[in-house]
Amino acid sequence: MNAILRFIYHVYQLFILLPVLVIDTAFVGSVIMLVCPLCTKQNSIRFSSFMGRLWGKIIIRTTLLPVELKGLENIDSRQSYIVVANHQSCYDIFLIIGYFNQSLRWMMKASLMKIPFLGGASKTSGFIPVDTSSPSKIHETCDHALKSITNGVSLVVFPEGRRSYTGELGKFKRGAFMIADRLQLPVLPVTLYGTYEVMPRQRDFRFARRHKLTMQVHNPIFPVSSGHENIEYMKNESYRIIKASQEDTHK
């Protein structure tokens, strides 16, 4: 019976999910690129965030994935954060952008900016392409990010830098925490569960597996000082919180 249900789910993805994904991305991307240039900066951020939530929710709901949200009360809509999360799957993006109820900007691989509609919408929305080709490019990326986070707009970063191949939490890079230190903003750790089971990195462009998705927002980590000591504190504390949360779910 399970084999029959899997076959039906695969057929559904091929003939329903895939067309919806393409149409959803094209529609949302086109609307953002058309409307946002006509708006004020603040209205443009609100509108692109609203459309982003619509995009993410449509994809997750069309994939027929149940979602559980924990700790949303830890988000202060008036406060800007550096949001850091574990990175296991492309569904991490759909989950955060769809269900994190705040205006967000993202640091994302520059190569993603070349994807039709998605790239144009990301540029229009003020997302930050990450270019690590040289120290000067890294500095430009950080400067761009610093100018983007104001008035309740938060920046999302995957501090591992890439998706995990195993689902285990990888080493955190310092970039997100350097930005938090420069701006003296709190870091908001987020743990994502279930996305690896839906579509791990090694199964890209294959059929998704049905599994419950959970997003847990933890208490913010506020700066304790400035400089190297503060950066290391926020980095290590974020890692500890996300790692402990992952371990608790597997007990």
Side-chain angles (χ1 to χ4, degrees), residues 68-183:
E68 181 181 11
L69 305 175
K70 300 179 179 179
L72 294 185
E73 68 276 5
N74 294 322
I75 304 171
D76 181 349
S77 60
R78 300 163 297 179
Q79 172 70 58
S80 292
Y81 300 99
I82 306 300
V83 180
V84 297
N86 56 312
H87 198 13
Q88 302 178 327
S89 166
C90 59
Y91 273 80
D92 298 334
I93 297 168
F94 306 144
L95 184 56
I96 294 177
I97 203 168
Y99 292 89
F100 196 98
N101 194 22
Q102 192 183 35
S103 294
L104 298 174
R105 286 190 166 166
W106 294 68
M107 291 186 75
M108 57 192 291
K109 289 194 298 185
S111 59
L112 295 176
M113 294 289 190
K114 299 176 183 179
I115 298 175
F117 299 106
L118 177 64
S122 297
K123 290 177 184 177
T124 304
S125 300
F127 291 4
I128 300 114
V130 178
D131 188 340
T132 58
S133 60
S134 68
S136 63
K137 291 295 184 182
I138 294 173
H139 185 71
E140 286 177 17
T141 297
C142 289
D143 283 346
H144 188 177
L146 290 169
K147 296 172 183 176
S148 301
I149 315 161
T150 56
N151 301 322
V153 177
S154 292
L155 177 69
V156 181
V157 185
F158 295 117
E160 295 165 273
R162 61 183 66 188
R163 288 171 292 165
S164 169
Y165 278 105
T166 63
E168 297 295 322
L169 190 64
K171 184 179 178 181
F172 280 7
K173 302 180 186 299
R174 300 175 77 243
F177 309 98
M178 292 171 65
I179 294 171
D181 179 70
R182 283 273 299 275
L183 295 176

Side-chain angles (χ1 to χ4, degrees), residues 204-228:
D204 276 351
F205 308 112
R206 300 186 186 181
F207 292 114
R209 296 169 177 158
R210 195 164 187 272
H211 195 281
K212 177 182 176 182
L213 303 181
T214 302
M215 180 173 73
Q216 181 171 359
V217 181
H218 302 282
N219 289 317
I221 303 167
F222 289 90
V224 293
S225 58
S226 62
H228 176 76

